[in-house]
Amino acid sequence: QQRQMCIRDRLYTAYTGMINEQNRMDIMTNNLANASTVGYKKEGSTSQSFDDVLTVKIKDQSVGMRNVQRLGVKNPGVKIGENYTDYSQGSFRITGNTYDLALSGEGFFAIEFTNKAGETDTKYTRAGQFTLNKDGYLVTEEGDYVLDTQNRRIRLNTLIDSSITDDGTIYQNGQAVAKIQVTDFEDYDYLEKYGETYYQPIQGAKTIAAKAQVKSGYLEMANVQIVSEMVNLISITRAYESNQKVVQTIDDTLDVAVNQIGRVQ
C-alpha cells in the first residue's frame, strides 16, 4: 500500500507540474501574440507548492472540481497561483500624428465603453491610438469615446488643426477647448483586465492624481521583451516535457508490473 501511495504521489506531482507549465505557456504565448499591440502590458503567473499550504479549500476550482480535498491535507506537486500584470513603461514609437498619445509615467486614459448589451461604463487604458470620428469626437480604434476631466466626450472641430500639451490640454486656434482625463490608482491590485488593453476598477479601488505626461505624436508599445519571452518559452517547454517523461516512465513500469511480472510460463 505504501508503494502504491508513492507511485500515486509521483504521478500526481508530474500531473500538476504539466498543468502548471501549460498555464504558464498560455500566458507566455499571449504575451508574444501581443508584442506589437499598442499599450499592452505583459502578464505573468505564480505557483505554490502544496507542502507550503496548511489548508486547501474543498472543491478548489484551481485544482479541478472533481479533486475533492480535505482541509489540512498536504499533497505533493504544484498548485497554480495567481496571474499578475506587469505595468512597467513600454517603449515609445514616433508617429507624428497629433492624436496618437502616449503616457510618460503612471496613469491611464479614461474611456467611455459601451458593451454589446448597451451598458456604458468607464474603462481605462494605456493605448492612445486615438482619432477623430466623422462627428468630431475623439475616439479609440474601436470607436469608444475618450473622456475629458469632467467625464464628458471630447468633441473638436475637424477643420482646424489641434495641438496637445503635456498636461493633456487640447488647443485649437490658440484656445484651450478640452483637457484629456488621465487617472491613476493607489493600488493596481484593484484593477481587473478587460480584453487586451482595457482595465476596470473593482471594489476597493481608489483613484489618485496622475503624474503622467501626455506625449502627442507618440505611441507606447507593449512592454514585452520578445527575446526574454522566447527564452522562457523554451524553459517552459522543457519543464513540461520532463514531467511528461515521468508519467510515461511510470506508465511503462506499471505495464511491466501488470503484464509481465508473475506471468506463468
Side-chain angles (χ1 to χ4, degrees):
Q1 185 178 2
Q2 185 175 3
R3 182 174 297 177
Q4 290 177 347
M5 291 180 61
C6 181
I7 293 176
R8 184 201 65 182
D9 289 347
R10 290 177 181 176
L11 276 172
Y12 191 83
T13 300
Y15 160 73
T16 57
M18 292 171 66
I19 295 298
N20 182 63
E21 298 306 327
Q22 183 177 350
N23 178 65
R24 293 178 62 200
M25 175 75 76
D26 291 341
I27 294 172
M28 209 67 62
T29 51
N30 186 61
N31 287 339
L32 287 171
N34 287 280
S36 59
T37 301
V38 175
Y40 177 81
K41 299 302 179 184
K42 69 178 180 179
E43 295 184 303
S45 62
T46 61
S47 57
Q48 56 186 147
S49 169
F50 273 118
D51 292 338
D52 297 331
V53 181
L54 294 178
T55 59
V56 179
K57 295 178 296 181
I58 295 177
K59 294 186 178 180
D60 185 353
Q61 293 185 15
S62 64
V63 296
M65 293 298 291
R66 295 183 179 180
N67 297 333
V68 179
Q69 299 174 1
R70 293 174 297 174
L71 294 178
V73 175
K74 293 183 179 180
N75 292 303
V78 61
K79 180 177 183 294
I80 296 176
E82 297 179 351
N83 294 346
Y84 64 89
T85 301
D86 180 358
Y87 291 96
S88 61
Q89 182 88 51
S91 61
F92 284 4
R93 176 165 64 87
I94 301 174
T95 66
N97 185 346
T98 302
Y99 301 114
D100 280 342
L101 305 177
L103 291 176
S104 177
E106 296 179 345
F108 300 86
F109 296 111
I111 307 297
E112 180 186 293
F113 176 80
T114 303
N115 61 22
K116 294 181 179 179
E119 301 169 336
T120 299
D121 64 348
T122 302
K123 305 293 185 192
Y124 298 90
T125 186
R126 297 279 296 191
Q129 204 165 7
F130 304 142
T131 186
L132 294 181
N133 64 14
K134 62 180 181 178
D135 297 319
Y137 288 102
L138 189 64
V139 297
T140 67
E141 282 191 312
E142 293 77 23
D144 301 320
Y145 296 96
V146 181
L147 298 178
D148 66 6
T149 53
Q150 303 300 318
N151 286 321
R152 299 173 303 192
R153 298 174 180 177
I154 298 174
R155 191 173 190 179
L156 305 173
N157 189 334
T158 58
L159 302 178
I160 302 176
D161 291 335
S162 302
S163 62
I164 303 175
T165 58
D166 286 354
D167 66 352
T169 303
I170 304 175
Y171 289 88
Q172 288 189 320
N173 280 342
Q175 300 292 322
V177 294
K179 186 174 183 178
I180 298 171
Q181 180 182 159
V182 180
T183 303
D184 199 10
F185 294 87
E186 188 177 274
D187 190 344
Y188 288 174
D189 287 340
Y190 291 94
L191 285 182
E192 181 180 65
K193 201 162 189 178
Y194 187 92
E196 299 299 347
T197 59
Y198 280 172
Y199 300 90
Q200 58 186 10
I202 60 176
Q203 185 176 2
K206 296 180 180 179
T207 60
I208 58 175
K211 298 180 180 179
Q213 294 182 334
V214 179
K215 298 297 182 182
S216 176
Y218 296 85
L219 289 175
E220 182 186 3
M221 305 308 295
N223 61 350
V224 177
Q225 302 294 327
I226 296 180
V227 174
S228 298
E229 297 297 309
M230 289 299 296
V231 171
N232 291 334
L233 203 60
I234 295 173
S235 176
I236 291 171
T237 302
R238 289 177 177 174
Y240 184 91
E241 291 174 347
S242 296
N243 285 291
Q244 191 177 39
K245 287 179 180 178
V246 171
V247 174
Q248 290 175 343
T249 300
I250 294 177
D251 181 64
D252 292 340
T253 302
L254 292 175
D255 178 65
V256 171
V258 172
N259 298 310
Q260 296 185 30
I261 296 179
R263 177 185 296 176
V264 178
Q265 299 294 330

